[in-house]
């Protein structure tokens, strides 16, 4: 894994410094993150199955992509960069909200993040980066809700946390 720095923040998203990404996850330090949800014109969400080789949660289904802003990079820039890096899609994204979570993941790591959530639309099929994504699929929000209830262990912890927030945003018409 590359030596990538994440931005440590307080609960109001004020920067507190930087730390190597894996170390931040080992220590469970609060840091800034981005989560991207891409829909097609049928209102289906593009889900990503994480590459089996990922350092945590490999093989689990999740949102379209996610990641961390580099120091001196906006969350908007980071979301659009990660979408291109992981899924080969170049889109303009819209921030819909942000959320806080502190979730244990695999291998004793912790996702303690202030997550900025972005959405976008395309009917273009992704070109998966095999180091990031094993597979993808489109599903309606009700289909995903059913899958989450039936087999939550097949999804990443942060997806289980952020997906209901996305559903509420859609129900509110945002």
């Amino acid at each position: 894994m590359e030596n990538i720095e994440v931005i440590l923040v307080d609960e109001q998203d004020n920067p507190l410094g930087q730390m190597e990404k894996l170390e931040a996850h080992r220590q469970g330090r609060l840091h800034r993150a981005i989560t991207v949800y891409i829909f097609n014109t049928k209102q289906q969400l593009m889900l990503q199955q994480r590459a089996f080789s990922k350092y945590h949660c490999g093989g689990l289904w999740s949102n379209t992509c996610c990641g961390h802003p580099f120091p001196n990079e906006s969350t908007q820039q980071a979301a659009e960069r990660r979408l291109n890096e992981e899924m080969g899609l170049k889109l303009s994204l819209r921030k819909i909200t942000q959320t806080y979570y502190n979730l244990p993941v695999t291998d004793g790591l912790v996702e303690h993040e202030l997550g900025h959530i972005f959405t976008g639309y395309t009917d273009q099929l992704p070109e998966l980066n095999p180091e990031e994504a094993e597979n993808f699929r489109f599903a309606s929000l009700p289909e995903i809700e059913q899958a989450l209830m039936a087999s939550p262990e097949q999804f990443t912890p942060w997806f289980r946390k952020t997906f209901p927030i996305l559903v509420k945003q859609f129900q509110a018409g945002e």
Side-chain angles (χ1 to χ4, degrees):
M1 188 171 71
E2 299 173 41
N3 187 15
I4 296 172
E5 297 275 312
V6 296
I7 303 165
L8 301 176
V9 296
D10 63 19
E11 290 183 10
Q12 287 74 47
D13 202 27
N14 296 307
L16 300 175
Q18 300 170 24
M19 181 178 276
E20 192 275 324
K21 179 172 77 168
L22 186 54
E23 191 58 28
H25 288 105
R26 282 186 183 125
Q27 292 185 24
R29 297 286 303 272
L30 180 59
H31 57 280
R32 192 174 290 158
I34 54 95
T35 301
V36 178
Y37 288 93
I38 299 299
F39 292 87
N40 62 19
T41 53
K42 296 176 186 175
Q43 298 300 309
Q44 296 172 316
L45 176 61
M46 182 187 296
L47 295 171
Q48 176 196 126
Q49 183 182 27
R50 289 171 58 87
F52 289 105
S53 61
K54 295 291 282 186
Y55 70 101
H56 70 76
C57 299
L60 297 182
W61 287 93
S62 199
N63 47 288
T64 310
C65 77
C66 55
H68 306 89
F70 293 139
N72 301 315
E73 180 182 43
S74 72
T75 56
Q76 178 87 30
Q77 291 168 324
E80 291 174 0
R81 172 181 54 80
R82 288 302 293 159
L83 182 61
N84 187 37
E85 289 172 354
E86 292 188 31
M87 306 300 278
L89 296 171
K90 291 184 180 182
L91 301 175
S92 293
L93 301 175
R94 180 175 70 95
K95 182 175 175 181
I96 59 169
T97 193
Q98 65 187 42
T99 189
Y100 167 89
Y101 47 88
N102 188 353
L103 306 165
V105 293
T106 55
D107 300 323
L109 301 176
V110 177
E111 290 283 356
H112 190 189
E113 297 180 337
L114 191 89
H116 298 256
I117 302 175
F118 291 83
T119 61
Y121 290 87
T122 188
D123 284 325
Q124 180 183 347
L125 295 179
E127 293 180 26
L128 304 180
N129 175 343
E131 293 179 10
E132 300 288 344
E134 194 72 31
N135 203 351
F136 79 96
R137 66 184 168 112
F138 286 97
S140 70
L141 298 182
E143 288 170 336
I144 296 168
E145 288 175 313
Q146 287 179 334
L148 280 166
M149 287 193 316
S151 302
E153 72 283 354
Q154 293 183 5
F155 296 89
T156 61
W158 62 90
F159 181 77
R160 295 189 308 251
K161 174 76 174 173
T162 61
F163 180 74
I165 296 167
L166 178 76
V167 171
K168 283 182 186 177
Q169 294 285 329
F170 269 75
Q171 289 171 343
E174 293 185 25

